Amino acid sequence: MQRPGPFSTLYGRVLAPLPGRAGGAASGGGGNNWGLSGSHVQLPGRTQSETRGDKGGSSAGGPAPSTMSKAEEAKKLASHTAVENHVKNNQVLGIGSGSTIVHAVQRIAERVKQENLDLICIPTSFQIDLAIDGADEVDAELNLIKGGGGCLTQEKIVAGYASRFIVIADFRKDSKNLGDRWHKGIPIEVIPMAYVPVSRAVTQKFGGEVELRMAVNKAGPVVTDNGNFILDWKFDRVHKWGEVNTAIKMTPGVVDTGLFINMAERVYFGMQDGSVNVREKPF
């Protein structure tokens, strides 16, 4: 089978159009000697004032940094730093969804063009070197809530089959405990006929409230790409999330949850001051 071209997809949508690349040897992953765990880093070749958007100018196809919100600029900083640190030549990349991943895809596309990197970017696979995705909330142990956009099952497949799972987020997603900042609940994807008994089972066992997620621009509930419904469990206390995740997944009718437990290796938080805070999984 012919190998897909650089920055292509094996399944699903093409994530970013890219002009034909010039010939020549790839330059590799562009190594660095940044500090990592618990550190703050700056993007290479940029001053702190530039990363904050204090200087004018804009990147191709995007808004000028000065027009970005602090949160959006933070997402961009975290995304670019993660891509610089982890994306290397001849990798198979699992790409997530959501607003944060857009910045990562844009930077990957730039590096493919600039460095002639040969990459395969796919939404799901059984052999993924590196998965990069965002999160709705991250706690002190790097447990995640994901699925605010409704793609939790696909995102967990990508992350679960990747050799390494890297998370990019802005400062608003950094919490000591899940639920400190994210108040929309933990998404649970369910078979449509099971949403009522699953709702009852979760509240009876763990408390809180469960709501069927309703669509905004059409009548009826949100329907996932898999043809299922999403329940949002608004929990009322901190739990042992590994045990809760397992118990909910064992409930008949549940497809998966938005709890990503012991999956993220490292998280890059874009900060308000233009730096990036890097946190690794505690041991």
Side-chain angles (χ1 to χ4, degrees):
M1 185 178 72
Q2 185 177 4
R3 178 181 174 86
F7 205 65
S8 61
T9 63
L10 295 182
Y11 174 79
R13 64 193 184 283
V14 175
L15 296 174
L18 185 68
R21 62 172 184 166
S27 61
N32 59 69
N33 58 356
W34 299 339
L36 290 177
S37 180
S39 64
H40 283 65
V41 296
Q42 289 295 134
L43 293 181
R46 303 174 73 182
T47 65
Q48 184 159 317
S49 62
E50 288 174 322
T51 60
R52 285 199 303 263
D54 294 338
K55 293 191 177 183
S58 63
S59 58
S66 59
T67 66
M68 285 189 180
S69 68
K70 286 290 186 181
E72 199 64 28
E73 183 68 14
K75 291 179 184 179
K76 182 177 180 181
L77 289 167
S79 302
H80 284 207
T81 304
V83 169
E84 297 298 332
N85 262 355
H86 298 285
V87 173
K88 297 177 174 60
N89 194 36
N90 294 318
Q91 282 185 327
V92 180
L93 305 183
I95 301 296
S97 60
S99 60
T100 305
I101 201 65
V102 172
H103 299 295
V105 171
Q106 289 173 343
R107 181 55 188 147
I108 291 170
E110 290 171 358
R111 287 194 57 197
V112 167
K113 183 176 181 180
Q114 295 165 359
E115 304 172 32
N116 292 332
L117 300 182
D118 190 9
L119 303 174
I120 300 175
C121 297
I122 53 180
T124 183
S125 171
F126 292 93
Q127 294 179 331
I128 299 173
D129 298 312
L130 173 68
I132 302 175
D133 204 354
D136 297 313
E137 189 171 38
V138 184
D139 74 6
E141 297 181 351
L142 298 194
N143 296 315
L144 316 176
I145 295 177
K146 289 176 54 58
C151 298
L152 58 107
T153 299
Q154 290 94 324
E155 291 172 350
K156 190 171 281 189
I157 290 171
V158 171
Y161 285 108
S163 299
R164 306 179 68 190
F165 178 37
I166 304 299
V167 175
I168 49 181
D170 64 75
F171 55 91
R172 301 172 302 168
K173 312 300 176 63
D174 187 6
S175 297
K176 181 180 179 181
N177 299 302
L178 295 183
D180 286 351
R181 298 192 178 190
W182 178 256
H183 305 298
K184 297 181 180 181
I186 294 171
I188 304 171
E189 185 167 346
V190 298
I191 302 298
M193 66 173 293
Y195 84 90
V196 172
V198 169
S199 299
R200 291 172 179 166
V202 171
T203 54
Q204 288 172 1
K205 186 172 291 187
F206 301 112
E209 298 180 355
V210 174
E211 298 177 355
L212 177 64
R213 187 180 297 184
M214 303 303 291
V216 175
N217 295 320
K218 68 179 185 68
V222 169
V223 178
T224 70
D225 291 340
N226 306 313
N228 299 317
F229 291 171
I230 292 181
L231 302 175
D232 290 305
W233 172 41
K234 298 181 179 179
F235 53 94
D236 54 8
R237 64 184 185 277
V238 176
H239 293 266
K240 295 181 179 179
W241 295 117
E243 296 177 5
V244 168
N245 184 53
T246 300
I248 294 177
K249 288 177 65 174
M250 293 295 291
T251 304
V254 171
V255 178
D256 215 325
T257 80
L259 285 167
F260 284 52
I261 309 300
N262 295 323
M263 298 183 72
E265 172 185 321
R266 184 177 295 163
V267 180
Y268 292 81
F269 293 104
M271 307 305 290
Q272 288 175 294
D273 63 0
S275 64
V276 177
N277 188 23
V278 185
R279 182 135 50 83
E280 293 187 325
K281 182 178 177 180
F283 294 98

